[in-house]
Amino acid sequence: MYNSKISGLGFYVPDNVVTNEDLSKIMDTSDEWIQERTGIKQRHWIKEGSNETSATMGARAAEIAIERAGLDKDDIDFIIFATLSPDFYFPGCGVQIQEMLEMRTIGALDIRNQCSGFVYALSTGDQFIKTGMYKNILVIGSEYHSNGLDKTTRGRGVSVIFGDGAGACVLSRTEDNQKGILSSHLHSEGKYADKLIVESPSIKHWVPEILNSKEEDLSYFPYMDGTFVFKNAVVRFSEVIMEALSVNKIGPDDIDLFIPHQANLRISQFIQQKFKLRDDQVYNNITNYGNTTAASIVIALTEAWEKGKVKEDDIVLLAAFGSGFTWGSVLLRW
Ligand code: UT7
């Protein structure tokens, strides 16, 4: 069996920065509330009228990751694209990447696991590499949230949190079984699907029905029971981190870098305290990007790597929790 290691990383966010102050001009919110509850100061939102989408941002991030891996697009054997905000209801964004990057007619798979999307995507890619089926897999997480948010006071509990952006990595075969992904752990609990959901349009509740419904039909905006999600997040994050540590027979001290999904800085801080991790063991960047869902971990990992915070042989732990509920972790030796 082979192992898979990350051989290249890249990220892309739209230029347009939206500060908390900007949001306070369009809804009843404040910089103080947002920073205190979430740690977010600003996020990047695609400008209205721009042609950017989840697929185009994913393509930009992917080009950087492929180049940094020292590979050519023709070396990529498979594409995995994680998003909750695809350009189309179908087909998925993966095939758009194949076209946009003018790649060979390789397979393309979309992953619909929201905030855990990148962890699920990495784990899926790892299985293809372990079995020897593929050598180099392009894994992308990308989200275009801003066009789907309720940017009025009514939607402030959700809309202030989310940001647009994309990250990508190339997962490559290695014969060194001490390196790369050491384990991944995936979970779900569908009974809480309605706690964080965009219900429509769906086959159950299609466009004509929405158009004919009364104005109070808000099913096409994201709904989140924030407090309930928060409480579950801290429990599940802890469990799945414990699982990774115990399977690999290591303790919190052995972690060189922990990158949690950037859902809320308060969740990350809670986990950091629980596992008694030092500040230099944890990387957060939600302050500048908001919650970019499937893109958040790979954007943070890329940024940490660019800053020299990920070094050869480092133990890196990634963990995520989100809508579904789904949660998971990946432990790597760099
Ligand atoms: O990434 C996927 C997973 N997602 C998460 O993990 C998110 C988990 N949840 C959270 O991060 C937090 O629950 C939120 C940041 C979303 C909300 O924070 P909270 O401390 O749970 O606030 P809350 O929803 O209980 O609202 C408290 C008050 C309410 O007012 P009243 O009823 O106390 O008068 C809200 O209406 O804050 C109000 N509020 C706001 N005020 C100003 C809600 N959103 C805002 C806002 N600005 N943006």
Side-chain angles (χ1 to χ4, degrees), residues 298-318:
V298 61
I299 291 177
L301 180 60
T302 307
E303 209 176 63
W305 175 81
E306 286 173 352
K307 290 179 178 172
K309 291 181 187 289
V310 193
K311 299 172 291 300
E312 193 76 19
D313 282 327
D314 274 359
I315 292 288
V316 179
L317 174 66
L318 315 175

Side-chain angles (χ1 to χ4, degrees), residues 5-24:
K5 61 166 195 192
I6 291 178
S7 58
L9 282 161
F11 81 97
Y12 173 83
V13 288
D15 292 337
N16 184 39
V17 171
V18 177
T19 63
N20 295 344
E21 194 62 37
D22 294 332
L23 292 183
S24 71

Side-chain angles (χ1 to χ4, degrees), residues 147-205:
N147 207 28
L149 299 171
D150 179 359
K151 299 188 195 102
T152 67
T153 298
R154 191 180 56 191
R156 65 184 179 173
V158 174
S159 55
V160 302
I161 298 171
F162 292 98
D164 301 335
C169 74
V170 178
L171 209 51
S172 297
R173 177 191 290 181
T174 170
E175 296 189 16
D176 181 347
N177 64 8
Q178 305 298 312
K179 285 270 169 89
I181 295 182
L182 303 179
S183 74
S184 56
H185 309 275
L186 308 176
H187 297 277
S188 71
E189 193 174 30
K191 77 174 164 184
Y192 296 130
D194 63 351
K195 300 293 184 190
L196 180 44
I197 189 169
V198 176
E199 229 183 302
S200 307
S202 66
I203 292 300
K204 263 172 77 181
H205 192 53

Side-chain angles (χ1 to χ4, degrees), residues 157-158 161-162 192-198 221-233 267 321-323 325:
V158 174
I161 298 171
F162 292 98
Y192 296 130
D194 63 351
K195 300 293 184 190
L196 180 44
I197 189 169
V198 176
F221 285 128
Y223 166 79
M224 175 166 71
D225 181 340
T227 313
F228 187 83
V229 174
F230 193 111
K231 284 182 185 158
N232 278 266
I267 296 178
F321 174 88
S323 159
F325 292 149

Side-chain angles (χ1 to χ4, degrees), residues 11-264:
F11 81 97
Y12 173 83
V13 288
D15 292 337
N16 184 39
V17 171
V18 177
T19 63
N20 295 344
E21 194 62 37
D22 294 332
L23 292 183
S24 71
K25 291 177 190 144
I26 56 171
M27 63 180 82
D28 182 11
T29 190
S30 65
D31 179 46
E32 193 192 0
W33 190 96
I34 301 171
Q35 282 208 50
E36 191 189 311
R37 307 276 176 140
T38 70
I40 299 166
K41 288 187 182 168
Q42 61 171 53
R43 71 289 292 138
H44 293 244
W45 277 359
I46 289 174
K47 247 202 159 89
E48 256 180 58
S50 150
N51 290 328
E52 290 189 312
T53 63
S54 293
T56 67
M57 291 191 296
R60 300 282 293 269
E63 282 173 328
I64 300 168
I66 294 170
E67 196 195 327
R68 285 177 173 171
L71 297 174
D72 183 83
K73 62 184 168 54
D74 291 335
D75 297 318
I76 302 294
D77 304 311
F78 194 61
I79 302 160
I80 305 180
F81 200 114
T83 187
L84 65 67
S85 48
D87 295 22
F88 309 122
Y89 192 74
F90 72 83
C93 288
V95 298
Q96 289 177 272
I97 296 298
Q98 185 275 330
E99 158 70 7
M100 284 172 183
L101 300 193
E102 299 176 350
M103 298 169 103
R104 296 178 291 123
T105 55
I106 54 173
L109 172 72
D110 273 49
I111 298 252
R112 296 287 308 274
N113 285 74
Q114 302 69 248
C115 300
S116 316
F118 185 71
V119 164
Y120 267 76
L122 264 191
S123 176
T124 305
D126 183 41
Q127 312 312 313
F128 280 119
I129 286 181
K130 277 205 165 71
T131 56
M133 184 159 172
Y134 296 127
K135 263 190 180 167
N136 296 301
I137 299 180
L138 178 61
V139 182
I140 301 170
S142 181
E143 302 289 2
Y144 178 12
H145 282 302
S146 57
N147 207 28
L149 299 171
D150 179 359
K151 299 188 195 102
T152 67
T153 298
R154 191 180 56 191
R156 65 184 179 173
V158 174
S159 55
V160 302
I161 298 171
F162 292 98
D164 301 335
C169 74
V170 178
L171 209 51
S172 297
R173 177 191 290 181
T174 170
E175 296 189 16
D176 181 347
N177 64 8
Q178 305 298 312
K179 285 270 169 89
I181 295 182
L182 303 179
S183 74
S184 56
H185 309 275
L186 308 176
H187 297 277
S188 71
E189 193 174 30
K191 77 174 164 184
Y192 296 130
D194 63 351
K195 300 293 184 190
L196 180 44
I197 189 169
V198 176
E199 229 183 302
S200 307
S202 66
I203 292 300
K204 263 172 77 181
H205 192 53
W206 199 238
V207 176
E209 210 180 312
I210 297 169
L211 293 177
N212 290 332
S213 67
K214 297 192 186 76
E215 267 180 28
E216 60 266 25
D217 181 355
L218 303 176
S219 61
Y220 48 89
F221 285 128
Y223 166 79
M224 175 166 71
D225 181 340
T227 313
F228 187 83
V229 174
F230 193 111
K231 284 182 185 158
N232 278 266
V234 292
V235 172
R236 298 308 194 180
F237 259 112
S238 304
E239 283 175 10
V240 85
I241 292 168
M242 286 300 294
E243 192 178 3
L245 296 179
S246 119
V247 164
N248 291 283
K249 299 186 175 53
I250 59 171
D253 283 353
D254 298 309
I255 299 170
D256 294 296
L257 196 64
F258 168 48
I259 302 188
H261 161 54
Q262 301 292 291
N264 180 327

